[in-house]
Amino acid sequence: MRTRTLTRGAKLTELGLGAAQLGNLARETSDTDAQGAVDAAWDSGVRYFDTAPHYGLGLSERRLGAALARRPRAEYTVSTKVGRLLVPSPRTAHRQDDGGFAVPATHRRQWDFSRDGILRSLEGSLTRLGLDHVDVVYLHDPDDHWHEASTTGVDTLVELRDQGVVKAVGAGMNQGAMLAEFVRRADVDLVMVAGRHTLLDRSALDELLPLARERGVGVVAAAVYNSGLLAADRPPSDATYDYLPAPRELIARAGALADVCERHGVTLPEAAIAYPLRHPAVVSVVLGARDARQSRTNAERLAARVPDALWAELAALGLVPEVPGAPSTPSVAGEGS
C-alpha cells in the first residue's frame, strides 16, 4: 500500500483505519471483532490508525492499543485527538453513554483546549493505548471553541511537536471553513475533514483543499461514505446521510452516481474512496471497520481500478465536477513509497 510522507516526517498509508467502531459506535463490537478489524487492516497493508478519547469513552484507544501491542512500533502511525477530557462520573455509571456509543457512562466528556487540558488528555490517551508516544495529534471538533483552540490549543500542540513529543499536529472536524482558518493562521501539518470531501459533499474544494495544497498541509479525508449513503453498491431507501435519514433528493443523486459507476464496472463505494485521493492535497482516506471482513472490504475497494472515463462522465453529467489538478492515477503532495 502506498505511503505519504508529510513535510516533518510522519507517514500515513493512503488507507487508514478509523477506530470509532472499536469504541462501540452505535452498537456493541466484541473484543474479538475489534482485534480482527485491526489484524485484517494490518494484513492488507494499513499502517495508519486513528482514534480518540471520545470514541467509547476511551474504549477505542484501549482496544486499538491492545490490538497493536505485538506490532513493531516503528512500523505504524497512530493519531489521537484532544479537546475532550474524560472525567470519572460514578453517579452515571449505571446508565448508557449519551454520546453515540454503546458503553456505560462511567465518565463524562469535558471540553478543554487549555494547555493543561491538552497535556492531561494526551497523557490519558497514552495510558489507554499502552504507548510511550503517538505520532499525530488533532484538536477534536473545536467548532464552538475557536478562540481557545486557535490559541492555547494549537500552540500547545506545536510546542509538543517542536519538542519531538509528536511528529505532526492539526485539527479534525466535520466542516471545512474552520479547518481552512487553522491552515491559514496556524503552523499545522495536516487536517482531517469528515464528510466534506465526498461524491455528495464537495464543500472542502471551495477553500480548504486549495489552501492546504498551497501551504503544504496534508488533508486526511474521513467519512467518505457520508455515514452510509455511499457505502452500498445501490443506495437503499432507508440510507443515512451524516447520521440522519437521507433526504430523498440525495438518495436519488446517489442512485444516479451508482448508475454511472455500473457503466464503468465500478461500485459506488469504490468510487467514493477513489474520489478524495484524486486531489493532490489529500494524503489518506480513513475508513472505519467493525470486524475483519469490513477491513478487508475497505482494502479491496481501495485497490479497485477506477477508469478516468468514469470521472469524465460524472463531470459531463454535472454530478461531480472535475478535481483541479487531478492526475490520471491518484497521487498526493509529499513523498511516496
Side-chain angles (χ1 to χ4, degrees):
M1 187 175 293
R2 294 171 63 178
T3 298
R4 316 298 189 217
T5 303
L6 301 177
T7 303
R8 291 184 172 89
K11 296 182 177 182
L12 283 70
T13 44
E14 64 180 2
L15 176 63
L17 175 65
Q21 283 92 333
L22 273 59
N24 288 0
L25 177 65
R27 60 184 175 86
E28 290 188 7
T29 300
S30 70
D31 289 343
T32 299
D33 280 345
Q35 178 76 53
V38 176
D39 288 346
W42 185 279
D43 292 342
S44 299
V46 172
R47 296 295 184 270
Y48 173 41
F49 302 88
D50 176 68
T51 184
H54 170 56
Y55 303 155
L57 297 173
L59 178 61
S60 171
E61 290 181 318
R62 291 193 296 272
R63 281 177 163 170
L64 180 62
L68 291 172
R70 68 178 188 276
R71 307 292 185 181
R73 181 63 186 91
E75 293 185 14
Y76 62 86
T77 295
V78 170
S79 61
T80 192
K81 307 179 182 75
V82 294
R84 290 176 174 95
L85 283 174
L86 300 183
V87 180
S89 181
R91 288 186 297 177
T92 60
H94 63 286
R95 305 177 193 165
Q96 280 290 100
D97 174 50
D98 60 3
F101 296 86
V103 294
T106 56
H107 293 71
R108 60 181 176 83
R109 301 168 179 86
Q110 177 178 296
W111 290 103
D112 193 336
F113 290 96
S114 69
R115 185 178 189 277
D116 179 66
I118 285 174
L119 295 178
R120 288 167 57 197
S121 179
L122 183 55
E123 182 181 9
S125 291
L126 293 175
T127 298
R128 289 185 291 271
L129 285 161
L131 298 175
D132 61 4
H133 74 281
V134 293
D135 305 279
V136 179
V137 180
Y138 297 105
L139 301 169
H140 199 185
D141 295 337
D143 304 66
D144 299 323
H145 306 272
W146 164 254
H147 177 71
E148 192 175 33
S150 65
T151 53
T152 57
V154 74
D155 289 349
T156 301
L157 293 189
V158 169
E159 176 187 342
L160 291 172
R161 184 195 64 203
D162 292 349
Q163 292 174 350
V165 177
V166 299
K167 294 180 180 178
V169 300
M173 305 180 70
N174 296 305
Q175 58 153 301
M178 192 177 287
L179 288 177
E181 287 302 304
F182 277 110
V183 173
R184 182 178 289 110
R185 303 185 186 196
D187 185 18
V188 295
D189 303 288
L190 77 173
V191 294
M192 176 180 285
V193 59
R196 302 297 169 253
H197 182 39
T198 76
L199 290 173
L200 289 173
D201 186 331
R202 277 93 57 188
S203 56
L205 281 172
D206 297 338
E207 183 181 21
L208 174 60
L209 290 172
L211 184 62
R213 186 183 184 190
E214 175 188 330
R215 300 292 176 89
V217 173
V219 176
V220 175
V224 299
Y225 296 149
N226 284 121
S227 85
L229 186 49
L230 299 173
D233 293 358
R234 302 294 313 182
S237 60
D238 62 347
T240 57
Y241 178 82
D242 286 358
Y243 307 102
L244 296 172
R248 187 172 301 175
E249 60 271 21
L250 280 183
I251 294 177
R253 191 189 304 175
L257 290 168
D259 291 340
V260 178
C261 288
E262 287 177 0
R263 288 199 288 272
H264 293 272
V266 176
T267 68
L268 183 58
E270 289 169 351
I273 295 172
Y275 175 72
L277 287 167
R278 287 176 56 75
H279 196 284
V282 174
V283 294
S284 184
V285 169
V286 166
L287 298 175
R290 199 175 291 275
D291 54 30
R293 179 189 61 80
Q294 291 184 0
S295 283
R296 286 192 291 268
T297 297
N298 289 342
E300 290 165 0
R301 288 171 171 174
L302 173 74
R305 182 182 180 277
V306 180
D308 293 341
L310 168 65
W311 308 118
E313 183 173 353
L314 289 174
L317 293 173
L319 290 171
V320 180
E322 279 287 357
V323 175
S328 296
T329 54
S331 67
V332 295
E335 300 173 4
S337 62

